[in-house]
Amino acid sequence: MNKFLSVFAILIMLIAASCQKAEMNNPAKADTAALVKQASIITVNGPLTAIVNQEVSFNVSWPYTGNCEKFKSFKISTLKDTTHIKLFVATNASEDCTGKEVKRSSVYKFKAAHPGTYILKFVGSDNKPGIIDTVKVN
């Protein structure tokens, strides 16, 4: 039984190694080199009030920089009634964006489970001061 497990473990390692080597030799399957960075938030449009457990949307935009930046994600950190929101974009150097209209905004959704006044801090790039929004939840 012990020999069987040893042979089985070696077989699994060989299969895993061959899969990794095949992926490295095939650039079409390899992940494209996208540069991800935090973007400066220049405008935020959203409601001033909400209802408990109601999802509200904020349209968040960043400046045009002349390349193919596309929305990647929001990074959220919350402490009590204050939420810090950072916006990240990705640029793919291999993509040709000439003549394409690239969207420069995305929607951030907020929902509060309890009534109160919530502070949303949309952080600028490099943690520079951004835009502060307040939402009163009834």
Side-chain angles (χ1 to χ4, degrees):
M1 179 70 175
N2 196 14
K3 268 187 173 179
F4 175 75
L5 289 177
S6 297
V7 171
F8 184 72
I10 291 171
L11 182 62
I12 294 296
M13 289 190 318
L14 288 173
I15 291 171
S18 68
C19 289
Q20 290 176 348
K21 186 176 179 181
E23 289 173 1
M24 288 172 38
N25 290 334
N26 187 352
K29 286 188 176 181
D31 191 18
T32 57
L35 172 66
V36 177
K37 68 177 186 175
Q38 183 179 345
S40 291
I41 296 172
I42 56 171
T43 62
V44 177
N45 295 314
L48 300 175
T49 61
I51 299 171
V52 171
N53 291 321
Q54 173 194 24
E55 190 173 76
V56 291
S57 297
F58 291 84
N59 191 33
V60 181
S61 63
W62 62 94
Y64 175 75
T65 59
N67 59 20
C68 292
E69 289 180 346
K70 295 180 182 172
F71 174 77
K72 178 74 174 163
S73 64
F74 286 110
K75 182 179 178 187
I76 311 301
S77 61
T78 302
L79 182 61
K80 296 186 181 184
D81 62 348
T82 302
T83 301
H84 290 84
I85 302 109
K86 294 180 180 180
L87 185 144
F88 288 86
V89 294
T91 304
N92 186 343
S94 65
E95 186 176 347
D96 178 18
C97 294
T98 309
K100 289 185 181 176
E101 184 171 330
V102 180
K103 184 177 178 185
R104 301 280 182 227
S105 65
S106 191
V107 175
Y108 168 70
K109 296 189 184 273
F110 175 77
K111 180 166 66 169
H114 304 286
T117 301
Y118 292 83
I119 300 167
L120 304 178
K121 292 186 176 185
F122 294 88
V123 182
S125 63
D126 300 325
N127 292 321
K128 292 178 184 173
I131 297 170
I132 299 174
D133 229 341
T134 304
V135 179
K136 183 173 171 103
V137 177
N138 298 314

